[in-house]
């Protein structure tokens, strides 16, 4: 019922990833996790993100920093913004999520925690190997897996699909196939959409 297109390189995605899981469980909704490369989306349909980073509006940037910390506090998460390495190359990390399939939640959670909580560079093989050990996965199998062409192709296909369906960033969330929501702060609306869907199916 829920499709969650995401890239772990976004702090707002970390919040939504964390917050949507109890919401889905409460309402009996399944989540299909769809890893993407948000940089690919920005390059294709939303280059304004880069311009905003280069020339931020100081007052807005200051408020956004406060807003992020307010949301992090509400979720009980530690988020350092910006991390030492920002933006980060998340290609291998997101290929890893593809490789894990729908059992990716522990790995993706560890990715988010490492990057946003512990300020580790998740583009580095040493960090990814450490995360593999943390979640009990053989790191050699992991690195062999994420180098497979089918994994690379699936990540590219997911990214192209979310753009084709109207997405412009991470997280992009669908209830059903067409009802799209963007960002952590849309979760109250997603709750309402799920309730409507359940009511109409009853």
């Amino acid at each position: 019922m829920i499709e969650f297109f995401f890239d772990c390189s976004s702090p707002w995605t970390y919040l939504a990833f964390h917050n949507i899981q109890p919401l889905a469980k409460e309402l009996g909704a399944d989540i299909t996790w769809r890893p993407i490369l948000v940089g690919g989306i920005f390059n294709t349909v939303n280059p304004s993100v880069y311009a905003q980073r280069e020339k931020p509006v100081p007052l807005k940037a200051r408020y956004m920093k406060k807003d992020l910390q307010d949301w992090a506090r509400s979720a009980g998460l530690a988020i350092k913004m910006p991390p030492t390495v920002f933006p980060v190359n998340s290609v291998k990390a997101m290929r890893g999520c593809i490789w894990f399939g729908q059992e990716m939640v522990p790995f993706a959670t560890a990715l988010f925690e490492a990057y946003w909580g512990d300020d580790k560079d998740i583009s580095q093989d040493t960090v990814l190997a450490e995360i593999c050990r943390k979640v009990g996965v053989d790191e050699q199998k992991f690195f062999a897996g994420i180098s497979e062409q089918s994994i690379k192709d699936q990540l590219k296909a997911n990214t192209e699909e979310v753009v084709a369906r109207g997405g412009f960033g991470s997280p992009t969330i669908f209830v059903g196939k067409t009802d799209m929501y963007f960002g952590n702060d849309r979760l109250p609306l997603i709750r309402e959409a799920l309730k409507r869907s359940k009511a109409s199916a009853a």
Side-chain angles (χ1 to χ4, degrees), residues 2-43:
I2 299 170
E3 287 176 280
F4 191 92
F5 288 86
F6 75 104
D7 185 325
C8 62
S9 65
S10 155
W12 302 103
T13 302
Y14 184 14
L15 288 162
F17 176 87
H18 175 84
N19 289 331
I20 203 167
Q21 292 181 64
L23 170 61
K25 185 175 182 180
E26 176 193 337
L27 296 177
D30 292 329
I31 302 174
T32 301
W33 303 106
R34 307 292 303 276
I36 57 171
L37 281 179
V38 77
I41 295 179
F42 295 159
N43 292 340

Side-chain angles (χ1 to χ4, degrees), residues 37-72:
L37 281 179
V38 77
I41 295 179
F42 295 159
N43 292 340
T44 306
V45 294
N46 193 9
S48 65
V49 171
Y50 299 128
Q52 183 181 318
R53 284 178 184 166
E54 287 174 17
K55 292 185 178 179
V57 177
L59 292 176
K60 185 177 180 183
R62 188 166 62 197
Y63 174 74
M64 284 181 68
K65 193 169 184 179
K66 173 196 180 295
D67 192 36
L68 180 63
Q69 292 309 318
D70 287 343
W71 278 106

Side-chain angles (χ1 to χ4, degrees), residues 56-117:
V57 177
L59 292 176
K60 185 177 180 183
R62 188 166 62 197
Y63 174 74
M64 284 181 68
K65 193 169 184 179
K66 173 196 180 295
D67 192 36
L68 180 63
Q69 292 309 318
D70 287 343
W71 278 106
R73 188 182 309 109
S74 175
L77 299 177
I79 296 180
K80 179 189 177 186
M81 183 65 189
T84 302
V85 177
F86 183 78
V88 71
N89 183 337
S90 62
V91 172
K92 288 182 179 179
M94 300 319 294
R95 285 178 185 165
C97 289
I98 295 278
W99 182 73
F100 272 94
Q102 290 304 300
E103 304 303 316
M104 71 178 71
V105 170
F107 176 75
T109 301
L111 280 174
F112 280 118
E113 289 174 350
Y115 184 50
W116 295 108

Side-chain angles (χ1 to χ4, degrees), residues 130-142:
E130 182 184 322
I131 291 171
C132 285
R133 291 191 293 272
K134 182 177 180 180
V135 299
V137 169
D138 183 274
E139 60 200 75
Q140 290 183 325
K141 285 184 181 178
F142 171 84

Side-chain angles (χ1 to χ4, degrees), residues 172-191:
T172 299
I173 305 158
F174 288 90
V175 176
K177 283 289 180 184
T178 57
D179 192 12
M180 187 181 91
Y181 298 88
F182 174 70
N184 173 69
D185 54 350
R186 299 304 188 272
L187 289 183
L189 300 179
I190 292 170
R191 173 186 290 276

